[in-house]
């Protein structure tokens, strides 16, 4: 019964982590673009970094929570086990989401301004070389 409990916990917790990360990354892109001063490239980069960090923290938490779990002997214990550990994983997911939203809201525009100040100024493209069409009468020595 313990193996079943652990398996169900992993399926539910990892499944929720993947779904939440996907939902937040796809629906949060417009929010990030606005928070970062309409810099879509910076917002996309930060969005990807947030997803990676989200996975690392949540999957690490799921593994640590499972390592401290005890044995499950019967169906009522299975339900309590899943309720406790899945509920804890959901709270961590929600807490991370609100932490990230607060940090982006508070610091997004400042970060965008800083990144633009640090970036080197774009250099103009050199003038394209002039291409001269040759005619039959032109010498190759010209």
């Amino acid at each position: 019964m313990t193996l079943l409990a652990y398996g169900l916990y992993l399926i539910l917790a990892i499944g929720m982590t993947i779904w939440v990360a996907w939902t937040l990354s796809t629906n949060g892109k417009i929010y990030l673009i606005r928070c970062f001063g309409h810099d879509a490239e910076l917002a996309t980069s930060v969005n990807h970094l947030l997803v990676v960090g989200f996975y690392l923290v949540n999957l690490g938490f799921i593994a640590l929570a499972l390592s401290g779990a005890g044995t499950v002997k019967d169906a009522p214990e299975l339900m309590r086990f899943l309720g406790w550990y899945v509920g804890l994983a959901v709270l961590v997911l929600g807490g991370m989401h609100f932490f990230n939203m607060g940090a982006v809201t508070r610091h997004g525009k400042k970060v965008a301004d800083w990144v633009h100040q640090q970036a080197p100024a774009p250099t103009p493209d050199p003038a394209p070389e002039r291409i001269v069409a040759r005619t039959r009468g032109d010498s190759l020595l010209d």
Side-chain angles (χ1 to χ4, degrees):
M1 187 64 78
T2 300
L3 189 57
L4 175 65
Y6 287 9
L8 288 173
Y9 166 68
L10 288 173
I11 290 168
L12 289 170
I14 292 172
M16 280 190 306
T17 298
I18 292 168
W19 176 74
V20 170
W22 179 83
T23 300
L24 294 178
S25 71
T26 54
N27 295 317
K29 197 174 242 183
I30 293 171
Y31 176 77
L32 288 173
I33 289 170
R34 290 189 180 163
C35 282
F36 287 112
H38 298 281
D39 185 339
E41 184 180 22
L42 178 62
T44 301
S45 175
V46 169
N47 195 22
H48 181 72
L49 293 172
L50 286 171
V51 168
V52 170
F54 192 78
Y55 279 132
L56 290 173
V57 171
N58 285 299
L59 294 176
F61 173 79
I62 289 166
L64 286 174
L66 189 60
S67 71
T71 59
V72 177
K73 295 179 181 103
D74 55 16
E77 277 188 32
L78 173 67
M79 294 307 292
R80 278 194 295 278
F81 172 86
L82 290 175
W84 172 255
Y85 284 100
V86 171
L88 198 56
V90 169
L91 286 174
V92 169
L93 287 168
M96 280 198 56
H97 170 65
F98 284 113
F99 173 79
N100 288 340
M101 292 293 291
V104 168
T105 301
R106 192 172 308 117
H107 304 294
K109 183 75 170 102
K110 289 184 241 178
V111 169
D113 291 343
W114 180 80
V115 166
H116 289 292
Q117 289 172 359
Q118 301 301 314
T123 58
D125 289 337
E129 293 182 22
R130 199 173 121 188
I131 299 173
V132 178
R134 295 194 173 271
T135 61
R136 277 190 165 188
D138 290 343
S139 165
L140 292 175
L141 299 175
D142 288 342

